[in-house]
Short mmCIF file of all heavy atoms in Angstrom, two decimals:
data_model
loop_
_atom_site.label_atom_id
_atom_site.label_comp_id
_atom_site.label_asym_id
_atom_site.label_seq_id
_atom_site.Cartn_x
_atom_site.Cartn_y
_atom_site.Cartn_z
N ARG A 148 134.93 64.82 79.15
CA ARG A 148 135.32 63.86 78.11
C ARG A 148 136.24 64.52 77.08
O ARG A 148 137.18 63.90 76.59
CB ARG A 148 134.07 63.32 77.43
CG ARG A 148 134.37 62.17 76.46
CD ARG A 148 133.10 61.51 75.97
NE ARG A 148 132.23 62.46 75.28
CZ ARG A 148 131.08 62.13 74.73
NH1 ARG A 148 130.63 60.88 74.82
NH2 ARG A 148 130.33 63.04 74.13
N ALA A 149 135.98 65.79 76.75
CA ALA A 149 136.82 66.52 75.78
C ALA A 149 138.25 66.68 76.29
O ALA A 149 139.21 66.66 75.51
CB ALA A 149 136.21 67.88 75.48
N VAL A 150 138.39 66.83 77.63
CA VAL A 150 139.72 67.01 78.21
C VAL A 150 140.61 65.81 77.92
O VAL A 150 141.81 65.95 77.64
CB VAL A 150 139.62 67.25 79.73
CG1 VAL A 150 141.00 67.17 80.39
CG2 VAL A 150 138.98 68.60 80.01
N TRP A 151 140.02 64.61 77.94
CA TRP A 151 140.81 63.41 77.71
C TRP A 151 141.39 63.34 76.30
O TRP A 151 142.40 62.69 76.07
CB TRP A 151 139.97 62.15 77.98
CG TRP A 151 139.71 61.96 79.45
CD1 TRP A 151 138.55 62.16 80.13
CD2 TRP A 151 140.67 61.53 80.43
NE1 TRP A 151 138.70 61.88 81.47
CE2 TRP A 151 140.00 61.49 81.68
CE3 TRP A 151 142.02 61.17 80.37
CZ2 TRP A 151 140.64 61.12 82.85
CZ3 TRP A 151 142.65 60.79 81.55
CH2 TRP A 151 141.97 60.77 82.78
N TYR A 152 140.76 64.02 75.35
CA TYR A 152 141.32 64.07 73.99
C TYR A 152 142.54 64.99 73.92
O TYR A 152 143.37 64.87 73.03
CB TYR A 152 140.25 64.56 73.01
CG TYR A 152 139.17 63.55 72.75
CD1 TYR A 152 137.95 63.62 73.42
CD2 TYR A 152 139.36 62.51 71.84
CE1 TYR A 152 136.95 62.69 73.20
CE2 TYR A 152 138.36 61.57 71.61
CZ TYR A 152 137.17 61.67 72.29
OH TYR A 152 136.18 60.74 72.06
N VAL A 153 142.63 65.92 74.86
CA VAL A 153 143.73 66.88 74.88
C VAL A 153 144.93 66.33 75.65
O VAL A 153 146.08 66.69 75.37
CB VAL A 153 143.27 68.22 75.50
CG1 VAL A 153 144.40 69.25 75.50
CG2 VAL A 153 142.06 68.77 74.76
N VAL A 154 144.65 65.43 76.61
CA VAL A 154 145.71 64.92 77.49
C VAL A 154 146.89 64.31 76.73
O VAL A 154 148.05 64.59 77.05
CB VAL A 154 145.12 63.91 78.50
CG1 VAL A 154 146.23 63.14 79.22
CG2 VAL A 154 144.25 64.64 79.51
N PRO A 155 146.67 63.45 75.71
CA PRO A 155 147.83 62.88 75.00
C PRO A 155 148.73 63.95 74.38
O PRO A 155 149.96 63.83 74.44
CB PRO A 155 147.18 62.01 73.91
CG PRO A 155 145.84 61.67 74.45
CD PRO A 155 145.40 62.88 75.22
N ALA A 156 148.13 64.99 73.79
CA ALA A 156 148.93 66.07 73.18
C ALA A 156 149.73 66.81 74.24
O ALA A 156 150.92 67.13 74.04
CB ALA A 156 148.02 67.03 72.43
N ILE A 157 149.09 67.08 75.39
CA ILE A 157 149.79 67.77 76.48
C ILE A 157 150.94 66.90 77.00
O ILE A 157 152.04 67.39 77.27
CB ILE A 157 148.80 68.10 77.62
CG1 ILE A 157 147.76 69.11 77.14
CG2 ILE A 157 149.54 68.63 78.84
CD1 ILE A 157 146.68 69.41 78.14
N PHE A 158 150.69 65.60 77.13
CA PHE A 158 151.71 64.67 77.60
C PHE A 158 152.92 64.67 76.67
O PHE A 158 154.07 64.72 77.11
CB PHE A 158 151.12 63.27 77.70
CG PHE A 158 152.10 62.23 78.16
CD1 PHE A 158 152.46 62.12 79.49
CD2 PHE A 158 152.67 61.35 77.24
CE1 PHE A 158 153.38 61.16 79.91
CE2 PHE A 158 153.58 60.38 77.64
CZ PHE A 158 153.93 60.29 78.98
N ILE A 159 152.67 64.63 75.37
CA ILE A 159 153.75 64.63 74.38
C ILE A 159 154.54 65.94 74.45
O ILE A 159 155.78 65.94 74.38
CB ILE A 159 153.19 64.41 72.97
CG1 ILE A 159 152.66 62.98 72.84
CG2 ILE A 159 154.25 64.67 71.90
CD1 ILE A 159 151.91 62.71 71.56
N LEU A 160 153.84 67.07 74.59
CA LEU A 160 154.50 68.37 74.70
C LEU A 160 155.40 68.42 75.93
O LEU A 160 156.53 68.92 75.87
CB LEU A 160 153.46 69.50 74.77
CG LEU A 160 152.77 69.87 73.46
CD1 LEU A 160 151.64 70.86 73.73
CD2 LEU A 160 153.76 70.48 72.48
N ILE A 161 154.91 67.90 77.05
CA ILE A 161 155.69 67.93 78.29
C ILE A 161 156.94 67.07 78.16
O ILE A 161 158.05 67.49 78.52
CB ILE A 161 154.83 67.45 79.48
CG1 ILE A 161 153.74 68.48 79.79
CG2 ILE A 161 155.70 67.23 80.72
CD1 ILE A 161 152.73 68.02 80.81
N ILE A 162 156.77 65.86 77.61
CA ILE A 162 157.89 64.90 77.53
C ILE A 162 158.95 65.33 76.52
O ILE A 162 160.15 65.25 76.79
CB ILE A 162 157.37 63.49 77.19
CG1 ILE A 162 156.48 62.96 78.32
CG2 ILE A 162 158.54 62.53 76.93
CD1 ILE A 162 157.20 62.81 79.64
N PHE A 163 158.51 65.81 75.35
CA PHE A 163 159.45 66.05 74.26
C PHE A 163 159.83 67.52 74.06
O PHE A 163 160.74 67.81 73.27
CB PHE A 163 158.88 65.49 72.94
CG PHE A 163 158.77 64.00 72.93
CD1 PHE A 163 157.54 63.38 73.11
CD2 PHE A 163 159.89 63.20 72.77
CE1 PHE A 163 157.43 62.00 73.11
CE2 PHE A 163 159.79 61.83 72.77
CZ PHE A 163 158.57 61.21 72.95
N ILE A 164 159.17 68.44 74.75
CA ILE A 164 159.51 69.86 74.57
C ILE A 164 159.86 70.52 75.91
O ILE A 164 160.99 70.96 76.11
CB ILE A 164 158.36 70.63 73.88
CG1 ILE A 164 158.16 70.09 72.46
CG2 ILE A 164 158.66 72.13 73.84
CD1 ILE A 164 157.06 70.78 71.68
N PHE A 165 158.91 70.55 76.84
CA PHE A 165 159.13 71.30 78.08
C PHE A 165 160.16 70.64 79.00
O PHE A 165 161.01 71.32 79.56
CB PHE A 165 157.79 71.50 78.81
CG PHE A 165 156.81 72.33 78.03
CD1 PHE A 165 155.64 71.76 77.56
CD2 PHE A 165 157.07 73.66 77.76
CE1 PHE A 165 154.73 72.52 76.82
CE2 PHE A 165 156.17 74.42 77.04
CZ PHE A 165 155.00 73.86 76.56
N LEU A 166 160.08 69.32 79.13
CA LEU A 166 161.04 68.62 79.98
C LEU A 166 162.48 68.75 79.48
O LEU A 166 163.39 69.06 80.26
CB LEU A 166 160.65 67.15 80.13
CG LEU A 166 161.53 66.30 81.06
CD1 LEU A 166 161.51 66.89 82.47
CD2 LEU A 166 161.05 64.85 81.09
N PRO A 167 162.75 68.55 78.17
CA PRO A 167 164.12 68.76 77.67
C PRO A 167 164.63 70.18 77.89
O PRO A 167 165.82 70.38 78.15
CB PRO A 167 164.01 68.44 76.17
CG PRO A 167 162.87 67.49 76.08
CD PRO A 167 161.89 67.96 77.12
N ILE A 168 163.75 71.18 77.77
CA ILE A 168 164.17 72.57 78.00
C ILE A 168 164.61 72.75 79.45
O ILE A 168 165.66 73.36 79.72
CB ILE A 168 163.02 73.54 77.66
CG1 ILE A 168 162.77 73.55 76.15
CG2 ILE A 168 163.33 74.95 78.16
CD1 ILE A 168 161.51 74.31 75.75
N ILE A 169 163.82 72.21 80.38
CA ILE A 169 164.17 72.32 81.80
C ILE A 169 165.45 71.58 82.11
O ILE A 169 166.34 72.08 82.82
CB ILE A 169 163.00 71.79 82.67
CG1 ILE A 169 161.76 72.68 82.50
CG2 ILE A 169 163.41 71.73 84.14
CD1 ILE A 169 160.50 72.10 83.10
N LEU A 170 165.60 70.36 81.57
CA LEU A 170 166.80 69.56 81.81
C LEU A 170 168.04 70.23 81.21
O LEU A 170 169.13 70.16 81.79
CB LEU A 170 166.62 68.16 81.21
CG LEU A 170 165.66 67.23 81.95
CD1 LEU A 170 165.50 65.92 81.20
CD2 LEU A 170 166.15 66.97 83.38
N ASN A 171 167.87 70.87 80.06
CA ASN A 171 169.00 71.55 79.43
C ASN A 171 169.51 72.69 80.31
O ASN A 171 170.72 72.84 80.50
CB ASN A 171 168.60 72.10 78.06
CG ASN A 171 169.75 72.77 77.35
OD1 ASN A 171 170.62 72.11 76.80
ND2 ASN A 171 169.77 74.10 77.36
N PHE A 172 168.58 73.49 80.86
CA PHE A 172 168.99 74.56 81.76
C PHE A 172 169.65 73.98 83.01
O PHE A 172 170.66 74.51 83.49
CB PHE A 172 167.80 75.43 82.15
CG PHE A 172 168.15 76.51 83.14
CD1 PHE A 172 168.86 77.63 82.73
CD2 PHE A 172 167.79 76.39 84.48
CE1 PHE A 172 169.21 78.62 83.64
CE2 PHE A 172 168.13 77.37 85.39
CZ PHE A 172 168.84 78.50 84.97
N TYR A 173 169.09 72.90 83.54
CA TYR A 173 169.68 72.24 84.71
C TYR A 173 171.11 71.78 84.42
O TYR A 173 172.03 71.99 85.23
CB TYR A 173 168.80 71.05 85.12
CG TYR A 173 169.38 70.19 86.21
CD1 TYR A 173 169.34 70.59 87.54
CD2 TYR A 173 169.97 68.96 85.90
CE1 TYR A 173 169.88 69.79 88.54
CE2 TYR A 173 170.51 68.16 86.89
CZ TYR A 173 170.46 68.58 88.22
OH TYR A 173 171.00 67.79 89.20
#
Side-chain angles (χ1 to χ4, degrees):
R148 188 171 59 178
V150 169
W151 288 106
Y152 289 98
V153 182
V154 168
I157 295 175
F158 179 77
I159 291 172
L160 285 172
I161 291 172
I162 295 298
F163 294 103
I164 296 181
F165 296 114
L166 183 59
I168 291 171
I169 295 169
L170 288 176
N171 182 77
F172 177 74
Y173 173 78

